[in-house]
Amino acid sequence: MPGSRVPGRTWTVRLTGHADYTVSVTCSTAACRMPPRSKDSASMRRFAAEHVKAHGRLADARPNAACSCGSAQCALHESRVHCAGTSLLVLVHNPAVGQVWTLAEICQACARHIPHLAVLATAKPALPTPVTPVPEQAAQRAAVPGGFSSPEAASDPSPGRRRAHRPYRPRRSRG
């Protein structure tokens, strides 16, 4: 059914520290394979950032996606917003905290209210479904007395002749 919305997708990648001074990376996608715990937090942070970027490269903003922010009770922003606008694929990551990366399909209205956001993709409008073409009939142009063509014929310029394009130049003031 055209115009029906699908739920917006969300991926969350989290870096978690443990009591034994190791860190682990988790992803909200159960099928993702994560490395084992490590004491090298810098390499695990790089892995987490690259992992969420990989999700971003594989996903694209869908034009029929509903705002995932609205389904999460607007947890990504503080103010209440009515969802509207084109669907966007965004990455939310606060470098001051640096432990959680959220990739989400949200609307333009919500995107304006989310701090630390990078837009990765904008949904392209869905192409209209092709309609069965109607066979064209040879149009017969009615002649107008005096040798002028009808208004319908005047709107169809001959393909061989084009009017030269002149760039706009502001008038000089005389003074």
Side-chain angles (χ1 to χ4, degrees):
M1 170 174 10
S4 62
R5 304 289 256 172
V6 295
R9 300 169 293 179
T10 302
W11 298 265
T12 302
V13 176
R14 187 177 311 271
L15 187 66
T16 307
H18 303 282
D20 61 353
Y21 301 103
T22 61
V23 292
S24 61
V25 177
T26 58
C27 179
S28 60
T29 304
C32 292
R33 295 178 49 117
M34 296 292 116
R37 284 185 181 189
S38 173
K39 289 193 178 210
D40 187 0
S41 62
S43 68
M44 295 297 270
R45 184 180 303 275
R46 283 191 301 274
F47 175 84
E50 287 302 316
H51 184 76
V52 79
K53 285 179 187 175
H55 276 296
R57 284 189 298 271
L58 294 174
D60 203 11
R62 302 173 298 174
N64 61 339
C67 183
S68 66
C69 184
S71 64
Q73 287 81 37
C74 298
L76 294 175
H77 53 85
E78 293 178 8
S79 57
R80 202 72 184 134
V81 178
H82 289 358
C83 294
T86 304
S87 178
L88 306 171
L89 183 66
V90 300
L91 174 63
V92 181
H93 175 68
N94 184 346
V97 177
Q99 298 173 356
V100 178
W101 293 259
T102 302
L103 186 66
E105 284 179 314
I106 63 169
C107 68
Q108 287 176 324
C110 287
R112 292 185 199 111
H113 297 277
I114 301 173
H116 308 291
L117 176 128
V119 176
L120 302 180
T122 302
K124 308 225 179 340
L127 296 174
T129 54
V131 180
T132 308
V134 177
E136 292 185 28
Q137 297 175 356
Q140 294 192 9
R141 298 182 181 164
V144 177
F148 295 104
S149 61
S150 68
E152 293 83 19
S155 65
D156 185 23
S158 62
R161 288 180 50 193
R162 293 190 64 172
R163 185 174 168 210
H165 175 71
R166 300 176 87 189
Y168 172 75
R169 293 189 181 146
R171 291 185 167 203
R172 290 184 174 174
S173 62
R174 297 181 190 201

